[in-house]
Coordinates of all heavy atoms in Angstrom, one line a residue:
M19 N 70.8 -223.1 34.1 CA 71.6 -221.9 33.8 C 70.6 -220.7 33.5 O 69.6 -220.9 32.7 CB 72.5 -222.2 32.6 CG 73.4 -221.0 32.3 SD 74.6 -221.4 31.0 CE 75.8 -222.4 32.0
K20 N 70.9 -219.6 34.0 CA 70.0 -218.4 33.8 C 70.3 -217.8 32.5 O 71.4 -217.8 31.9 CB 70.2 -217.4 35.0 CG 69.8 -217.9 36.3 CD 70.1 -216.9 37.4 CE 69.7 -217.5 38.7 NZ 70.4 -216.9 39.8
V21 N 69.3 -217.1 31.9 CA 69.4 -216.4 30.6 C 70.6 -215.4 30.7 O 71.4 -215.3 29.8 CB 68.1 -215.7 30.3 CG1 68.3 -214.8 29.1 CG2 67.0 -216.7 30.0
K22 N 70.7 -214.7 31.8 CA 71.8 -213.7 31.9 C 73.2 -214.4 31.7 O 74.0 -213.8 31.1 CB 71.7 -212.9 33.2 CG 72.7 -211.8 33.4 CD 72.2 -210.9 34.5 CE 73.2 -209.8 34.8 NZ 74.1 -209.4 33.7
E23 N 73.3 -215.5 32.4 CA 74.6 -216.3 32.2 C 74.9 -216.7 30.8 O 76.0 -216.6 30.3 CB 74.6 -217.5 33.2 CG 74.6 -217.1 34.6 CD 74.4 -218.3 35.5 OE1 73.4 -219.0 35.3 OE2 75.2 -218.6 36.4
L24 N 73.8 -217.1 30.1 CA 74.0 -217.5 28.7 C 74.4 -216.3 27.8 O 75.3 -216.4 27.0 CB 72.7 -218.1 28.1 CG 72.2 -219.4 28.7 CD1 70.8 -219.7 28.2 CD2 73.2 -220.5 28.2
E25 N 73.9 -215.1 28.1 CA 74.2 -214.0 27.3 C 75.7 -213.5 27.6 O 76.3 -213.0 26.7 CB 73.3 -212.8 27.7 CG 71.8 -213.0 27.1 CD 70.8 -212.0 27.7 OE1 71.1 -211.3 28.7 OE2 69.7 -212.0 27.1
E26 N 76.2 -213.9 28.8 CA 77.6 -213.5 29.1 C 78.5 -214.5 28.5 O 79.7 -214.3 28.4 CB 77.7 -213.5 30.6 CG 77.0 -212.3 31.3 CD 77.0 -212.4 32.8 OE1 77.4 -213.4 33.3 OE2 76.5 -211.5 33.4
H27 N 78.1 -215.7 28.0 CA 78.9 -216.7 27.4 C 78.3 -217.0 26.0 O 77.7 -218.0 25.8 CB 78.9 -217.9 28.2 CG 79.5 -217.7 29.6 ND1 78.8 -217.2 30.6 CD2 80.8 -217.9 30.1 CE1 79.6 -217.0 31.7 NE2 80.8 -217.5 31.4
P28 N 78.6 -216.1 25.0 CA 77.9 -216.3 23.7 C 78.3 -217.5 22.9 O 77.7 -217.8 21.9 CB 78.3 -215.0 23.0 CG 79.5 -214.5 23.7 CD 79.4 -214.9 25.1
T29 N 79.4 -218.2 23.3 CA 79.8 -219.4 22.5 C 79.0 -220.6 22.9 O 79.0 -221.6 22.2 CB 81.3 -219.7 22.7 OG1 81.6 -219.8 24.1 CG2 82.2 -218.6 22.1
F30 N 78.2 -220.5 24.0 CA 77.4 -221.6 24.4 C 76.2 -221.7 23.4 O 75.6 -220.7 23.1 CB 76.8 -221.3 25.8 CG 76.1 -222.4 26.5 CD1 76.8 -223.3 27.3 CD2 74.8 -222.6 26.3 CE1 76.1 -224.4 27.9 CE2 74.1 -223.6 26.9 CZ 74.8 -224.5 27.7
A31 N 75.9 -222.9 23.0 CA 74.9 -223.1 22.0 C 73.5 -223.0 22.6 O 73.1 -223.8 23.5 CB 75.0 -224.4 21.3
A32 N 72.7 -222.0 22.3 CA 71.4 -221.8 22.8 C 70.6 -221.0 21.9 O 71.1 -220.2 21.1 CB 71.5 -221.1 24.2
V33 N 69.3 -221.3 21.9 CA 68.3 -220.6 21.1 C 67.5 -219.7 22.0 O 66.8 -220.3 22.9 CB 67.4 -221.5 20.2 CG1 66.4 -220.7 19.5 CG2 68.3 -222.3 19.3
L34 N 67.5 -218.4 21.9 CA 66.8 -217.5 22.8 C 65.9 -216.7 21.9 O 66.4 -216.1 20.9 CB 67.7 -216.7 23.6 CG 68.6 -217.4 24.6 CD1 69.5 -216.4 25.2 CD2 67.8 -218.1 25.7
P35 N 64.7 -216.5 22.1 CA 63.8 -217.2 23.1 C 63.4 -218.6 22.5 O 63.7 -218.9 21.4 CB 62.6 -216.3 23.2 CG 62.5 -215.7 21.8 CD 63.9 -215.5 21.3
P36 N 62.9 -219.4 23.4 CA 62.4 -220.7 23.0 C 61.2 -220.7 22.1 O 60.5 -219.7 22.0 CB 62.2 -221.4 24.3 CG 61.7 -220.3 25.2 CD 62.6 -219.1 24.8
A37 N 60.9 -221.9 21.5 CA 59.7 -222.1 20.7 C 59.6 -221.2 19.5 O 58.6 -220.6 19.2 CB 58.5 -222.0 21.6
T38 N 60.8 -221.0 18.8 CA 60.8 -220.1 17.7 C 61.0 -220.8 16.3 O 61.2 -220.2 15.3 CB 61.8 -219.0 17.8 OG1 63.1 -219.7 18.0 CG2 61.6 -218.1 18.9
S39 N 61.0 -222.2 16.4 CA 61.4 -223.0 15.2 C 60.5 -222.7 14.0 O 60.9 -222.8 12.9 CB 61.4 -224.5 15.5 OG 60.2 -224.9 15.9
E40 N 59.2 -222.3 14.2 CA 58.3 -222.0 13.1 C 58.8 -220.8 12.3 O 58.4 -220.5 11.2 CB 56.9 -221.8 13.6 CG 56.2 -223.1 13.9 CD 54.7 -223.0 14.2 OE1 54.4 -221.9 14.8 OE2 54.0 -223.9 13.9
E41 N 59.7 -220.0 12.9 CA 60.1 -218.8 12.3 C 61.3 -219.0 11.3 O 61.7 -218.1 10.6 CB 60.5 -217.7 13.3 CG 59.4 -217.3 14.2 CD 59.8 -216.4 15.3 OE1 60.9 -215.8 15.3 OE2 59.0 -216.2 16.3
Y42 N 61.9 -220.3 11.4 CA 63.1 -220.5 10.6 C 62.8 -221.4 9.4 O 62.2 -222.5 9.5 CB 64.2 -221.2 11.5 CG 64.7 -220.2 12.6 CD1 64.1 -220.2 13.8 CD2 65.7 -219.3 12.3 CE1 64.5 -219.2 14.8 CE2 66.1 -218.4 13.2 CZ 65.6 -218.4 14.4 OH 66.0 -217.4 15.4
D43 N 63.4 -221.1 8.3 CA 63.3 -221.9 7.1 C 64.6 -222.7 7.1 O 65.7 -222.2 7.0 CB 63.3 -221.0 5.9 CG 63.2 -221.7 4.6 OD1 63.5 -222.9 4.5 OD2 62.7 -221.1 3.6
T44 N 64.4 -224.1 7.3 CA 65.6 -225.0 7.4 C 65.8 -225.7 6.1 O 66.5 -226.7 6.0 CB 65.4 -226.0 8.5 OG1 64.2 -226.7 8.3 CG2 65.2 -225.3 9.8
T45 N 65.2 -225.3 5.0 CA 65.3 -225.9 3.7 C 66.8 -226.2 3.3 O 67.1 -227.3 2.9 CB 64.6 -225.1 2.6 OG1 63.3 -224.8 3.0 CG2 64.6 -225.8 1.3
G46 N 67.6 -225.2 3.6 CA 69.0 -225.3 3.1 C 69.9 -226.2 4.0 O 71.0 -226.5 3.7
W47 N 69.3 -226.8 5.1 CA 70.1 -227.6 6.0 C 70.2 -229.1 5.5 O 71.0 -229.8 5.9 CB 69.4 -227.7 7.4 CG 69.4 -226.4 8.2 CD1 69.6 -225.2 7.7 CD2 69.1 -226.3 9.6 NE1 69.4 -224.2 8.7 CE2 69.2 -224.9 9.9 CE3 68.9 -227.2 10.6 CZ2 68.9 -224.4 11.1 CZ3 68.6 -226.7 11.9 CH2 68.7 -225.4 12.1
R48 N 69.2 -229.4 4.6 CA 69.0 -230.9 4.3 C 70.0 -231.4 3.2 O 70.2 -230.7 2.2 CB 67.6 -231.1 3.8 CG 66.6 -231.1 4.9 CD 65.3 -231.6 4.3 NE 64.9 -231.1 3.1 CZ 64.1 -230.0 2.9 NH1 63.6 -229.4 3.9 NH2 63.9 -229.5 1.7
A49 N 70.5 -232.6 3.4 CA 71.1 -233.4 2.3 C 70.1 -234.4 1.8 O 70.1 -234.8 0.6 CB 72.4 -234.0 2.7
F50 N 69.2 -234.8 2.7 CA 68.1 -235.8 2.4 C 66.8 -235.3 2.8 O 66.8 -234.5 3.8 CB 68.4 -237.1 3.0 CG 69.6 -237.9 2.5 CD1 70.9 -237.6 2.9 CD2 69.5 -238.9 1.5 CE1 72.0 -238.2 2.4 CE2 70.6 -239.5 1.0 CZ 71.8 -239.2 1.5
K51 N 65.7 -235.6 2.2 CA 64.4 -235.2 2.6 C 63.5 -236.4 2.7 O 63.6 -237.4 2.0 CB 63.8 -234.2 1.7 CG 63.4 -234.7 0.3 CD 62.7 -233.6 -0.5 CE 62.3 -234.1 -1.8 NZ 61.7 -233.1 -2.7
P52 N 62.5 -236.4 3.7 CA 61.6 -237.5 3.8 C 60.5 -237.5 2.8 O 60.0 -236.4 2.4 CB 61.1 -237.3 5.2 CG 61.1 -235.8 5.4 CD 62.3 -235.3 4.6
V53 N 60.2 -238.7 2.3 CA 59.0 -238.8 1.4 C 58.2 -240.0 1.9 O 58.7 -241.0 2.3 CB 59.5 -239.2 0.0 CG1 58.4 -239.5 -1.0 CG2 60.4 -238.1 -0.6
V54 N 56.8 -239.7 2.0 CA 55.9 -240.7 2.5 C 55.2 -241.5 1.4 O 54.8 -240.9 0.4 CB 54.9 -240.1 3.5 CG1 54.0 -239.1 2.8 CG2 54.1 -241.1 4.3
D55 N 55.1 -242.8 1.7 CA 54.3 -243.7 0.8 C 52.9 -243.7 1.4 O 52.7 -244.4 2.4 CB 55.0 -245.0 0.7 CG 54.2 -246.0 -0.2 OD1 53.0 -245.7 -0.5 OD2 54.7 -247.0 -0.6
K56 N 52.0 -243.0 0.9 CA 50.6 -242.9 1.5 C 49.9 -244.3 1.4 O 49.0 -244.5 2.2 CB 49.8 -241.8 0.8 CG 50.3 -240.4 1.2 CD 49.2 -239.5 1.3 CE 49.7 -238.1 1.8 NZ 48.6 -237.2 2.2
E57 N 50.3 -245.2 0.6 CA 49.7 -246.5 0.6 C 50.1 -247.3 1.8 O 49.3 -248.0 2.4 CB 50.1 -247.3 -0.7 CG 49.6 -246.7 -2.0 CD 48.0 -246.6 -2.1 OE1 47.4 -247.7 -1.7 OE2 47.5 -245.6 -2.5
K58 N 51.3 -247.1 2.2 CA 51.8 -247.9 3.4 C 51.4 -247.2 4.7 O 51.2 -247.8 5.8 CB 53.3 -248.0 3.4 CG 53.9 -249.0 2.4 CD 55.4 -249.1 2.7 CE 56.1 -250.0 1.7 NZ 57.5 -249.9 1.9
C59 N 51.2 -245.9 4.7 CA 51.0 -245.1 5.9 C 49.6 -245.5 6.5 O 48.6 -245.5 5.9 CB 51.0 -243.6 5.6 SG 50.5 -242.5 7.0
T60 N 49.7 -245.8 7.9 CA 48.5 -246.2 8.6 C 47.9 -245.0 9.3 O 46.8 -245.2 10.0 CB 48.8 -247.3 9.6 OG1 49.7 -246.7 10.6 CG2 49.4 -248.5 8.9
G61 N 48.5 -243.9 9.3 CA 48.0 -242.7 10.1 C 48.2 -242.8 11.6 O 47.5 -242.1 12.3
C62 N 49.2 -243.5 12.0 CA 49.4 -243.7 13.5 C 49.9 -242.4 14.1 O 49.9 -242.2 15.3 CB 50.4 -244.8 13.7 SG 52.1 -244.5 13.2
L63 N 50.6 -241.6 13.3 CA 51.1 -240.3 13.8 C 52.3 -240.4 14.7 O 52.7 -239.4 15.4 CB 50.0 -239.4 14.4 CG 48.8 -239.1 13.5 CD1 47.8 -238.2 14.2 CD2 49.3 -238.3 12.2
I64 N 53.0 -241.5 14.7 CA 54.2 -241.6 15.5 C 55.3 -240.7 15.0 O 56.0 -240.1 15.8 CB 54.6 -243.1 15.6 CG1 53.7 -243.9 16.4 CG2 56.1 -243.2 16.1 CD1 54.0 -245.4 16.5
C65 N 55.4 -240.6 13.7 CA 56.3 -239.6 13.1 C 56.1 -238.2 13.6 O 57.0 -237.5 13.9 CB 56.3 -239.7 11.6 SG 54.7 -239.4 10.9
W66 N 54.8 -237.9 13.7 CA 54.4 -236.5 14.1 C 54.9 -236.3 15.5 O 55.3 -235.2 15.9 CB 52.9 -236.4 13.9 CG 52.3 -235.1 14.3 CD1 52.3 -233.9 13.6 CD2 51.7 -234.8 15.6 NE1 51.7 -232.9 14.3 CE2 51.2 -233.4 15.5 CE3 51.4 -235.5 16.7 CZ2 50.6 -232.8 16.6 CZ3 50.7 -234.9 17.7 CH2 50.3 -233.6 17.6
V67 N 54.7 -237.3 16.4 CA 55.1 -237.2 17.8 C 56.7 -237.0 17.9 O 57.1 -236.2 18.7 CB 54.7 -238.4 18.6 CG1 55.3 -238.4 20.0 CG2 53.2 -238.5 18.6
Y68 N 57.4 -237.7 17.1 CA 58.9 -237.7 17.3 C 59.6 -236.6 16.5 O 60.7 -236.2 16.9 CB 59.5 -239.1 16.8 CG 59.4 -240.1 17.8 CD1 58.4 -241.0 17.9 CD2 60.4 -240.2 18.8 CE1 58.3 -242.0 18.9 CE2 60.4 -241.2 19.8 CZ 59.3 -242.1 19.8 OH 59.3 -243.1 20.8
C69 N 58.9 -236.0 15.5 CA 59.6 -235.0 14.7 C 59.9 -233.8 15.6 O 59.1 -233.3 16.3 CB 58.7 -234.5 13.6 SG 59.4 -233.2 12.6
P70 N 61.2 -233.4 15.6 CA 61.6 -232.3 16.5 C 61.2 -230.9 16.0 O 61.4 -229.9 16.7 CB 63.1 -232.4 16.6 CG 63.5 -233.1 15.3 CD 62.4 -234.0 14.9
E71 N 60.7 -230.8 14.8 CA 60.4 -229.6 14.2 C 58.9 -229.5 13.8 O 58.2 -230.6 13.8 CB 61.2 -229.3 12.9 CG 62.7 -229.4 13.1 CD 63.2 -228.3 14.0 OE1 62.6 -227.2 14.1 OE2 64.2 -228.5 14.7
P72 N 58.3 -228.4 13.5 CA 56.9 -228.4 13.1 C 56.8 -228.7 11.6 O 56.3 -228.0 10.8 CB 56.5 -226.9 13.3 CG 57.8 -226.1 13.2 CD 58.9 -227.0 13.6
A73 N 57.4 -229.9 11.2 CA 57.5 -230.2 9.8 C 56.6 -231.3 9.3 O 56.6 -231.6 8.1 CB 59.0 -230.7 9.5
I74 N 55.8 -231.9 10.2 CA 54.9 -233.0 9.8 C 53.5 -232.5 10.1 O 53.1 -232.0 11.2 CB 55.2 -234.3 10.5 CG1 56.5 -234.8 10.1 CG2 54.1 -235.3 10.2 CD1 56.9 -236.1 10.8
I75 N 52.7 -232.5 9.0 CA 51.3 -232.0 9.0 C 50.3 -233.1 9.0 O 50.5 -234.0 8.1 CB 51.1 -231.0 7.9 CG1 52.1 -229.9 7.9 CG2 49.7 -230.5 7.9 CD1 52.3 -229.1 6.6
R76 N 49.4 -233.1 9.8 CA 48.3 -234.1 9.8 C 47.3 -233.7 8.7 O 46.9 -232.6 8.7 CB 47.6 -234.2 11.1 CG 48.5 -234.9 12.2 CD 47.8 -235.0 13.5 NE 47.6 -233.7 14.1 CZ 47.0 -233.5 15.2 NH1 46.5 -234.6 15.9 NH2 46.8 -232.3 15.8
T77 N 47.0 -234.6 7.8 CA 46.0 -234.3 6.8 C 44.6 -234.8 7.2 O 44.5 -235.6 8.1 CB 46.5 -235.0 5.5 OG1 46.6 -236.4 5.7 CG2 47.7 -234.4 4.9
P78 N 43.6 -234.3 6.6 CA 42.2 -234.6 7.0 C 41.9 -236.1 7.0 O 41.1 -236.6 7.8 CB 41.3 -233.9 6.0 CG 42.2 -232.7 5.5 CD 43.6 -233.2 5.5
D79 N 42.6 -236.9 6.1 CA 42.4 -238.3 6.1 C 43.3 -239.0 7.2 O 43.4 -240.2 7.1 CB 42.7 -238.9 4.7 CG 44.2 -238.6 4.2 OD1 44.9 -237.9 5.0 OD2 44.5 -239.0 3.1
R80 N 43.8 -238.3 8.1 CA 44.6 -238.8 9.2 C 45.9 -239.4 8.8 O 46.5 -240.3 9.4 CB 43.8 -239.8 10.1 CG 42.7 -239.1 10.9 CD 42.1 -239.9 12.0 NE 43.1 -240.4 13.0 CZ 43.6 -239.6 14.0 NH1 43.2 -238.4 14.2 NH2 44.5 -240.1 14.8
K81 N 46.4 -239.0 7.6 CA 47.7 -239.4 7.2 C 48.6 -238.2 7.4 O 48.2 -237.2 8.1 CB 47.7 -239.9 5.8 CG 46.8 -241.2 5.7 CD 47.1 -242.1 4.7 CE 46.2 -243.3 4.8 NZ 46.5 -244.3 3.8
I82 N 49.8 -238.1 6.7 CA 50.7 -237.0 7.0 C 51.2 -236.5 5.7 O 51.2 -237.2 4.6 CB 51.8 -237.4 7.9 CG1 52.7 -238.6 7.4 CG2 51.3 -237.7 9.3 CD1 54.0 -238.1 6.9
E83 N 51.7 -235.3 5.7 CA 52.5 -234.7 4.6 C 53.6 -233.9 5.3 O 53.5 -233.6 6.5 CB 51.7 -233.9 3.6 CG 51.0 -232.7 4.2 CD 50.0 -232.1 3.2 OE1 49.6 -232.8 2.3 OE2 49.8 -230.9 3.4
F84 N 54.6 -233.5 4.6 CA 55.7 -232.8 5.1 C 55.7 -231.3 4.8 O 55.3 -230.9 3.6 CB 57.1 -233.4 4.6 CG 57.2 -234.8 5.1 CD1 57.0 -235.8 4.2 CD2 57.6 -235.1 6.4 CE1 57.1 -237.1 4.6 CE2 57.7 -236.4 6.8 CZ 57.5 -237.4 5.9
D85 N 56.1 -230.4 5.7 CA 56.3 -229.0 5.4 C 57.8 -228.9 5.3 O 58.5 -228.8 6.3 CB 55.7 -228.2 6.6 CG 55.9 -226.7 6.3 OD1 56.7 -226.3 5.4 OD2 55.4 -225.9 7.0
Y86 N 58.3 -228.9 4.0 CA 59.7 -228.9 3.8 C 60.4 -227.6 4.2 O 61.6 -227.6 4.4 CB 60.0 -229.3 2.4 CG 59.7 -230.7 2.0 CD1 58.7 -231.0 1.1 CD2 60.3 -231.8 2.6 CE1 58.3 -232.3 0.8 CE2 60.0 -233.1 2.3 CZ 59.0 -233.3 1.4 OH 58.7 -234.6 1.1
K87 N 59.6 -226.6 4.4 CA 60.2 -225.3 4.9 C 60.8 -225.5 6.3 O 61.7 -224.8 6.7 CB 59.1 -224.2 4.8 CG 59.7 -222.8 5.0 CD 58.6 -221.8 4.8 CE 59.1 -220.5 5.2 NZ 58.1 -219.5 5.4
H88 N 60.2 -226.4 7.1 CA 60.7 -226.6 8.5 C 61.4 -227.9 8.7 O 61.9 -228.1 9.8 CB 59.5 -226.4 9.4 CG 58.9 -225.0 9.3 ND1 59.6 -223.9 9.6 CD2 57.6 -224.7 9.0 CE1 58.8 -222.9 9.4 NE2 57.6 -223.3 9.1
C89 N 61.4 -228.8 7.7 CA 62.1 -230.0 7.9 C 63.6 -229.8 7.7 O 64.1 -229.3 6.7 CB 61.6 -231.0 6.8 SG 62.6 -232.5 6.7
K90 N 64.4 -230.4 8.7 CA 65.8 -230.2 8.6 C 66.5 -231.5 8.2 O 67.8 -231.5 8.2 CB 66.4 -229.7 10.0 CG 66.1 -230.7 11.1 CD 66.6 -230.0 12.5 CE 66.3 -230.9 13.6 NZ 66.5 -230.3 14.9
G91 N 65.8 -232.5 7.8 CA 66.4 -233.7 7.2 C 67.1 -234.6 8.2 O 68.0 -235.4 7.8
C92 N 66.6 -234.6 9.5 CA 67.3 -235.4 10.5 C 67.1 -236.9 10.3 O 67.9 -237.7 10.7 CB 66.9 -235.0 11.9 SG 65.1 -235.3 12.2
G93 N 65.9 -237.3 9.7 CA 65.7 -238.7 9.5 C 65.0 -239.5 10.6 O 64.8 -240.7 10.5
I94 N 64.7 -238.8 11.7 CA 64.0 -239.4 12.8 C 62.7 -240.1 12.4 O 62.4 -241.2 12.8 CB 63.8 -238.4 14.0 CG1 65.2 -238.0 14.6 CG2 62.9 -239.0 15.1 CD1 65.1 -236.9 15.6
C95 N 62.0 -239.4 11.6 CA 60.7 -239.9 11.2 C 60.8 -241.2 10.4 O 60.0 -242.2 10.6 CB 59.9 -238.9 10.3 SG 60.9 -238.3 8.9
E96 N 61.8 -241.4 9.6 CA 62.1 -242.6 8.9 C 62.4 -243.8 9.8 O 61.8 -244.9 9.7 CB 63.2 -242.5 7.9 CG 63.5 -243.8 7.1 CD 64.8 -243.7 6.3 OE1 65.9 -243.3 6.9 OE2 64.8 -244.0 5.1
V97 N 63.2 -243.5 10.9 CA 63.6 -244.5 11.8 C 62.3 -244.9 12.7 O 62.2 -246.1 13.0 CB 64.7 -244.0 12.8 CG1 64.9 -244.9 13.9 CG2 65.9 -243.7 12.0
E98 N 61.5 -244.0 13.1 CA 60.4 -244.3 14.0 C 59.2 -244.8 13.3 O 58.3 -245.4 14.0 CB 60.0 -243.0 14.8 CG 61.2 -242.5 15.7 CD 61.6 -243.5 16.7 OE1 60.8 -244.3 17.1 OE2 62.7 -243.4 17.2
C99 N 59.0 -244.6 12.0 CA 57.8 -245.1 11.4 C 57.7 -246.7 11.5 O 58.6 -247.4 11.0 CB 57.7 -244.7 9.9 SG 56.3 -245.4 9.1
P100 N 56.7 -247.2 12.1 CA 56.6 -248.7 12.4 C 56.4 -249.5 11.1 O 56.6 -250.7 11.1 CB 55.5 -248.8 13.4 CG 54.6 -247.6 13.2 CD 55.5 -246.5 12.8
V101 N 55.9 -248.9 10.1 CA 55.6 -249.7 8.8 C 56.5 -249.3 7.7 O 56.3 -249.6 6.5 CB 54.1 -249.5 8.4 CG1 53.2 -250.1 9.5 CG2 53.7 -248.1 8.1
K102 N 57.5 -248.5 8.0 CA 58.5 -248.1 7.0 C 57.9 -247.4 5.8 O 58.2 -247.7 4.6 CB 59.4 -249.3 6.5 CG 60.0 -250.1 7.6 CD 61.1 -249.2 8.3 CE 61.7 -249.9 9.5 NZ 62.2 -249.0 10.5
A103 N 57.0 -246.5 6.1 CA 56.3 -245.7 5.0 C 57.1 -244.5 4.6 O 56.7 -243.8 3.6 CB 54.9 -245.3 5.5
I104 N 58.1 -244.1 5.4 CA 58.9 -242.9 5.1 C 60.3 -243.3 4.6 O 60.9 -244.2 5.2 CB 59.0 -242.0 6.3 CG1 57.6 -241.5 6.7 CG2 59.9 -240.8 6.0 CD1 57.6 -240.8 8.0
K105 N 60.7 -242.7 3.5 CA 62.1 -243.0 3.0 C 62.8 -241.6 2.9 O 62.2 -240.6 2.4 CB 62.0 -243.6 1.6 CG 61.7 -245.1 1.7 CD 63.0 -245.9 1.6 CE 62.7 -247.4 1.7 NZ 62.4 -247.9 3.0
M106 N 64.0 -241.6 3.3 CA 64.8 -240.4 3.1 C 65.5 -240.5 1.7 O 66.1 -241.4 1.4 CB 65.9 -240.3 4.2 CG 65.4 -240.1 5.6 SD 64.4 -238.6 5.9 CE 65.6 -237.3 5.9
V107 N 65.2 -239.5 0.9 CA 65.8 -239.4 -0.4 C 66.7 -238.2 -0.6 O 66.5 -237.2 0.0 CB 64.7 -239.5 -1.5 CG1 63.8 -240.7 -1.4 CG2 63.9 -238.2 -1.5
K108 N 67.7 -238.4 -1.4 CA 68.7 -237.4 -1.6 C 68.1 -236.1 -2.2 O 67.3 -236.2 -3.2 CB 69.8 -237.9 -2.5 CG 71.1 -237.1 -2.4 CD 72.2 -238.0 -3.0 CE 73.6 -237.4 -3.1 NZ 74.1 -236.4 -2.5
E109 N 68.4 -235.0 -1.7 CA 67.9 -233.7 -2.3 C 68.6 -233.6 -3.7 O 69.7 -233.9 -3.9 CB 68.4 -232.5 -1.5 CG 67.6 -232.4 -0.2 CD 66.3 -231.7 -0.3 OE1 66.0 -231.1 -1.3 OE2 65.6 -231.7 0.7
V110 N 67.8 -233.0 -4.7 CA 68.4 -232.9 -6.0 C 68.9 -231.4 -6.2 O 68.5 -230.5 -5.5 CB 67.4 -233.2 -7.1 CG1 67.2 -234.7 -7.2 CG2 66.1 -232.5 -6.9
Ligands
SF4_22 S1 63.5 -235.5 8.7 FE1 63.4 -234.8 10.8 S2 62.7 -232.7 10.7 FE2 62.2 -233.7 8.8 S3 60.1 -234.4 9.0 FE3 61.5 -236.1 9.5 S4 61.8 -236.0 11.8 FE4 60.9 -234.0 11.1
SF4_23 S1 54.7 -243.1 11.5 FE1 54.5 -243.9 9.4 S2 52.5 -244.9 9.4 FE2 52.5 -243.5 11.2 S3 51.7 -241.6 10.4 FE3 53.9 -241.4 10.1 S4 54.3 -242.1 8.0 FE4 52.2 -242.9 8.6

């Protein structure tokens, strides 16, 4: 579908322009947030690959931390972590 067609049908869900997720603060979207257990984390970075947002940051020790400003609380990282080092916890 062309951009012009999308503009003519504003009820169609689309983000224009693409690759702008770093500009959005998604803090208010979450009911749950991911927390990593650094003792369990092996640094495989699978969570980083699967996260749909720029919300997982690689640390110098090849482990991870979260940028909660961009995390929308989808829980994909918890599901994909092979050693169950990530838990989704309720926002307070
Ligand atoms: S909960 Fe979703 S958006 Fe947040 S860090 Fe995990 S995969 Fe990324
Ligand atoms: S997927 Fe799990 S073990 Fe791998 S880097 Fe992420 S938190 Fe660490």
Side-chain angles (χ1 to χ4, degrees):
M19 187 174 281
K20 293 176 185 158
V21 171
K22 184 161 176 27
E23 290 171 308
L24 290 172
E25 288 170 348
E26 289 169 356
H27 297 82
T29 54
F30 190 92
V33 175
L34 298 173
T38 56
S39 60
E40 283 187 328
E41 296 172 18
Y42 292 93
D43 183 338
T44 59
T45 308
W47 295 17
R48 288 191 311 268
F50 291 83
K51 70 176 182 181
V53 175
V54 65
D55 179 342
K56 288 215 173 194
E57 294 298 315
K58 284 189 186 173
C59 176
T60 63
C62 69
L63 300 178
I64 287 175
C65 57
W66 180 80
V67 170
Y68 277 93
C69 177
E71 304 296 333
I74 296 180
I75 301 163
R76 290 182 289 178
T77 53
D79 58 358
R80 291 193 59 81
K81 300 207 176 181
I82 60 108
E83 62 188 25
F84 298 101
D85 180 348
Y86 292 115
K87 191 173 171 196
H88 298 302
C89 170
K90 61 188 179 187
C92 66
I94 291 173
C95 53
E96 180 190 51
V97 171
E98 298 298 336
C99 176
V101 296
K102 304 296 175 205
I104 298 174
K105 283 263 177 284
M106 297 299 288
V107 301
K108 202 166 177 12
E109 289 275 352
V110 287

